[in-house]
């Protein structure tokens, strides 16, 4: 393939993908009254665009990220403001994520959206879905502050419309409003941050912002760092700015939840990576410490609150906070290594963080799609009303299990590889001379280990309570397998979960141009041993792992149990019978382990954090030991809502009430205000 | 320690073959300490053979997870400890 072809192919594919989303959105609006056509054309177009974007990103990254020409939109309309887009290695990596999810989710939506037929307008859903994907893709390829901010805002607005798609329920409306408020606070912070950068650069293009931090005064640089961390942090859902995430993700339609958890929160990671590693220049130590601490706290609190949840989608939403935390641990460690000029270690930590970003997108997308299929079949999000679904929807159970194993970081799937790399980066930081780093890295590593264990426990609960044992409700008993398109959508997302787990060295090679761009190092050669079969962390001594080797080993051993079975158990019979009930007749679902019961030990250990409120009412006739009815209610409110957000809301309402007195509705008062303002302005002008 | 593929497999097979013996030894010594005569140290092998020949009754409430799990457990218990793969590196060379 000659150089020119390499150069133009990704650009063509990218433009095709963007046009596809536009066509998909148009098709949704065009067929507002024909739901079947709207469904087919809008989600079909989105799936094809996703495929095209996926190919664009892969060809671009595999070709070594040869710089592409800049695309300029609306050149003549806006003389001073340029809307430019250009694909670079970092953008291409995130384009890969959004396109992968777009492909899988759109195929899934073809079946999922049928559930809305006759009830909601599928055309509107398809149009907003495509618009959101378009805006997100543009965020990743924007090459200019204007383009970036406009795409960012469209993304926030379309996501708001999708979250409040089922706006008949008050819960959904409240969640939508909360998301709207939070996403505008984040947009405000980001605009302020970019204005600070613009003050120094005097130009809106991203080129002019490159390593701009060196020219800025330290105070301004720190202010910009804080603003960007707040802004992108809200989008990413870091603790304590995460409160919108567990509220907004569950109420959205499941394909949208998967998109939000898989991609939209990653735009925060994208922004942080681009700004911190591209624009702000050599980081002071406290930036890295802040990001690492925030990441560690998010990871731990995210998983702890997830364990307490029995709403399947809220549980997954809390896990998104946890995984964003793990990604930020990687990024924070990279910043600290950059501060001490360990660029190789910084690159390792950065690879770990970004690797986890694409991993989280694939398995969290998969899990949300699985949850959507369960929701589709049982019409409830409450795990306590599920159970026995592995028998009724075996394929969905399999896909959910793959996602659960991947997110629990068990080998040989992808979550294991990225968490292993994160541990390696943290452990090697112990060898540096900076004493703060020697203290904070092991601490963060220990917290990460605790997080991993709790996450595994949480998914034992999520899978066990949802899919195993007897159905706990009528709905669960009559559940049916998801339609083929939904299963196919889930199958598409299991592919990266497996491939990224088995062939990490091949994937790290794709990241080479990216790390070259951000830190100036390429590590794929150093991370791979034995023709890519074994992944190391820089040297053979520090640690090696081969997920492929584990699988090969298992395959080699498979003949043993099969041979034992063939030799000895050939003549034995297998019967199916009722579960042994210890002589008491009739096993009922009431005797099963509940989600709340499963997490009780952890609730007790972390009582000081959770402060569970429980309410037990018992009625009895003659003795409390023979109760006729018992009602148990347990409720946990997040510590941040209790301590920060509720007092803040009360304060804002109180101040607003005071201010309202100004607007009394009397025209005389208003005339007075105008007069006073005029006087003040005149005085100011003097 | 530089291993090649046949010796990894041989080691695994040996581990599997000797594991019941260890259990038998422990049970035997435990019995001796409690002033009982105890079963032969080979008893776990006979138990395993007996169990393998037995019919199975599987609860009607179980799903495919129940039938797959024993195999998964057997394979992971044997392959994960061997995941430190200097050995695999040697194989690929």
């Amino acid at each position: 393939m000659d150089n020119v072809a390499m150069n133009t192919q990704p650009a063509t594919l990218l433009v095709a993908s963007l046009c596809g989303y536009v066509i998909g959105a148009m098709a949704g609006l065009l067929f507002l009254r024909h739901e079947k056509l709207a469904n087919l054309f809008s989600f079909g177009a989105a799936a094809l665009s996703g495929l095209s974007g996926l190919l664009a990103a892969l060809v671009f990254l595999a070709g070594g990220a040869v710089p592409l020409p800049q695309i300029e939109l609306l050149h003549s309309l806006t003389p001073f403001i340029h809307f430019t887009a250009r694909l670079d290695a970092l953008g291409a990596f995130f384009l890969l994520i959004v396109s992968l999810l777009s492909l899988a989710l759109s195929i899934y939506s073809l079946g999922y959206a049928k559930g809305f037929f006759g009830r909601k307008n599928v055309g509107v859903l398809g149009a907003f879905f495509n618009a959101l994907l378009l805006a997100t893709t543009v965020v990743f390829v924007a090459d200019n502050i204007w383009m970036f901010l406009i795409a960012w805002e469209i993304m926030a607005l379309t996501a708001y419309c999708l979250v409040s798609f089922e706006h008949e329920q008050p819960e959904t409306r409240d969640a939508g409003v909360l998301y709207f408020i939070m996403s505008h606070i984040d947009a405000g912070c980001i605009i302020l941050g970019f204005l600070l950068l613009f003050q120094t650069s005097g130009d809106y293009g991203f080129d002019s912002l490159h390593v701009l931090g060196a020219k800025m005064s330290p105070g301004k640089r720190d202010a910009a760092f804080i603003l960007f961390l707040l802004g992108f942090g809200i989008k990413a859902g870091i603790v304590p700015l995460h409160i919108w995430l567990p509220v907004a993700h569950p109420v959205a339609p499941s394909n949208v939840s998967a998109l939000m958890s898989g991609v939209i929160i990653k735009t925060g990671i994208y922004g942080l990576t681009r700004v911190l590693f591209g624009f702000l220049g050599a980081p002071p130590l406290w930036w890295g410490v802040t990001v690492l601490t925030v990441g560690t706290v998010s990871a731990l609190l995210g998983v702890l609150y997830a364990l307490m949840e029995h709403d399947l989608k809220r549980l997954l939403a809390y896990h998104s906070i946890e995984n964003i935390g793990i990604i930020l641990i990687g990024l924070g460690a990279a910043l600290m290594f950059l501060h001490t000029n360990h660029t190789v270690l910084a690159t390792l930590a950065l690879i770990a963080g970004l690797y986890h970003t694409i991993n989280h997108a694939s398995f969290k997308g998969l899990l949300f799609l699985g949850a959507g299929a369960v929701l589709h079949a049982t019409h409830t999000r409450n795990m306590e009303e599920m159970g026995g679904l592995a028998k009724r929807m075996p394929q969905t159970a399999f896909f959910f299990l793959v996602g659960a194993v991947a997110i629990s970081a068990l080998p040989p799937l992808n979550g294991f590889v990225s968490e292993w790399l994160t541990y390696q980066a943290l452990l090697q930081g112990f060898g540096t001379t900076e004493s703060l780093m020697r203290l904070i890295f092991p601490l963060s590593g220990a917290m990460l280990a605790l997080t991993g264990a709790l996450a595994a426990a949480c998914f034992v609960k999520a899978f066990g309570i949802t899919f195993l044992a007897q159905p706990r409700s009528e709905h669960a008993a009559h559940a049916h397998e998801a339609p083929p398109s939904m299963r196919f959508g889930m199958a598409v997302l299991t592919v990266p979960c497996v491939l990224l787990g088995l062939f990490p060295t091949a994937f790290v090679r794709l990241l080479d141009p990216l790390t070259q761009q951000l830190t100036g190092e390429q590590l794929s050669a150093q991370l791979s041993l034995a023709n890519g079969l074994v992944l190391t962390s820089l040297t053979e001594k520090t640690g090696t792992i081969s997920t492929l080797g584990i699988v090969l080993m298992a395959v080699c051993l498979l003949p043993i149990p099969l041979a034992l079975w063939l030799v000895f158990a050939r003549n034995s019979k297998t019967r199916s019978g009722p579960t042994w009930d210890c002589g008491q007749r009739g096993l009922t679902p009431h005797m099963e382990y509940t989600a709340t019961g499963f997490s009780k030990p952890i609730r007790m250990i972390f009582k000081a954090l959770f402060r569970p409120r429980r309410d037990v009412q018992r009625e009895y006739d003659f003795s409390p030991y023979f109760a006729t009815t018992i009602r148990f209610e347990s409720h946990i409110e997040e510590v941040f809502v209790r301590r920060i957000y509720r007092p803040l809301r009360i304060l804002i309402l109180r101040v607003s009430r005071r201010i309202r007195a100004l607007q009394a509705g009397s025209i005389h008062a208003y005339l007075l205000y105008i007069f006073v303002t005029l006087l003040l302005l005149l005085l100011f002008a003097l | 320690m530089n291993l090649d593929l046949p010796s990894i497999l041989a080691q695994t097979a040996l581990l599997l073959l000797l594991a019941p013996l260890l259990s038998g030894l422990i049970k035997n010594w435990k019995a001796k300490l409690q002033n009982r005569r105890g079963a032969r140290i080979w008893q776990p092998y006979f138990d395993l053979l007996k169990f393998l020949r037995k019919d199975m009754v599987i609860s009607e409430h179980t799903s495919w997870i129940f039938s797959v799990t024993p195999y998964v457990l057997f394979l992971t218990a044997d392959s994960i400890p061997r995941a430190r793969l200097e050995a695999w590196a040697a194989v690929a060379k």
Side-chain angles (χ1 to χ4, degrees), chain A residues 390-391 394 398 463 470 530 546 549-550 552-554 556-558 560-561 568-569 572-579, chain B residues 8 12 16 49 52-65 74-75 78-79 82-83 85 88-89 92:
Chain A
K391 225 172 160 61
F398 172 76
F463 185 81
Q470 289 190 53
S546 169
I550 295 173
L552 287 179
M553 194 74 208
C556 287
L557 288 170
L558 192 61
I560 301 177
F568 296 105
S572 68
K573 292 180 211 62
T574 304
R575 282 185 292 128
S576 170
T579 310
Chain B
I8 298 175
T12 310
L16 280 174
L49 284 183
L52 280 169
R53 283 174 209 277
K54 275 184 169 284
D55 286 359
M56 282 193 282
V57 183
I58 292 180
S59 163
E60 61 205 10
H61 295 136
T62 61
S63 58
W64 57 270
I65 304 270
F74 181 87
L75 294 178
D78 280 316
S79 59
R82 252 147 282 273
L85 289 174
W88 281 103

Side-chain angles (χ1 to χ4, degrees), chain A residues 98-178:
Chain A
V98 65
S99 305
L100 176 69
L101 269 274
S102 160
L103 174 64
L105 297 185
S106 307
I107 296 172
Y108 177 90
S109 303
L110 284 172
Y112 183 79
K114 282 187 186 142
F116 291 119
F117 281 5
R119 204 155 59 81
K120 300 286 301 179
N121 197 323
V122 178
V124 173
L125 180 69
F128 278 126
F129 189 79
N130 274 286
L132 178 58
L133 283 167
L134 176 69
T136 315
T137 311
V138 173
V139 162
F140 293 146
V141 298
D143 189 35
N144 176 294
I145 296 179
W146 283 100
M147 187 88 171
F148 180 86
L149 286 177
I150 288 173
W152 186 269
E153 192 56 29
I154 294 175
M155 185 176 79
L157 289 176
T158 44
Y160 162 71
C161 296
L162 286 169
V163 165
S164 31
F165 184 64
E166 289 172 272
H167 55 81
E168 294 80 8
Q169 282 130 11
E171 183 200 8
T172 311
R173 289 199 296 271
D174 290 349
V177 169
L178 180 63

Side-chain angles (χ1 to χ4, degrees), chain A residues 414-590:
Chain A
N414 58 357
F416 171 74
V417 175
S418 49
E419 286 199 29
W420 185 83
L421 282 172
T422 311
Y423 283 121
Q424 289 296 329
L426 288 177
L427 290 177
Q428 296 194 19
F430 193 58
T432 56
T433 45
E434 189 88 37
S435 60
L436 183 63
M437 283 166 79
R438 290 171 67 113
L439 181 71
I440 204 168
F441 278 160
L443 264 179
S444 171
M447 290 296 127
L448 183 59
L450 179 60
T451 306
L454 289 173
C458 190
F459 274 93
V460 169
K461 168 180 126 171
F463 185 81
I465 303 288
T466 309
F467 288 100
L468 303 183
Q470 289 190 53
R472 293 175 176 80
S473 68
E474 276 300 300
H475 284 308
H478 297 123
H480 50 86
E481 183 60 280
S485 56
M486 283 167 75
R487 278 178 276 154
F488 189 66
M490 289 188 266
V492 170
L493 280 182
T494 53
V495 174
C497 284
V498 174
L499 289 186
L500 289 173
L502 290 185
F503 305 100
T505 48
F507 183 68
V508 168
R509 203 168 311 139
L510 282 188
L511 290 181
D512 265 348
L514 177 55
T515 53
Q516 178 74 47
Q517 180 192 344
L518 296 178
T519 63
E521 295 280 345
Q522 295 196 350
L523 286 190
S524 70
Q526 290 180 62
L527 290 180
S528 136
L529 261 189
N531 305 326
L533 185 63
V534 177
L535 183 71
T536 69
S537 53
L538 302 177
T539 64
E540 223 167 315
K541 293 243 165 51
T542 47
T544 55
I545 194 78
S546 169
T547 39
L548 192 62
I550 295 173
V551 173
L552 287 179
M553 194 74 208
V555 171
C556 287
L557 288 170
L558 192 61
I560 301 177
L562 290 181
L564 282 174
W565 187 81
L566 269 181
V567 174
F568 296 105
R570 206 175 12 173
N571 293 327
S572 68
K573 292 180 211 62
T574 304
R575 282 185 292 128
S576 170
T579 310
W580 170 240
D581 55 6
C582 304
Q584 305 181 334
R585 254 163 295 157
L587 287 173
T588 69
H590 291 293

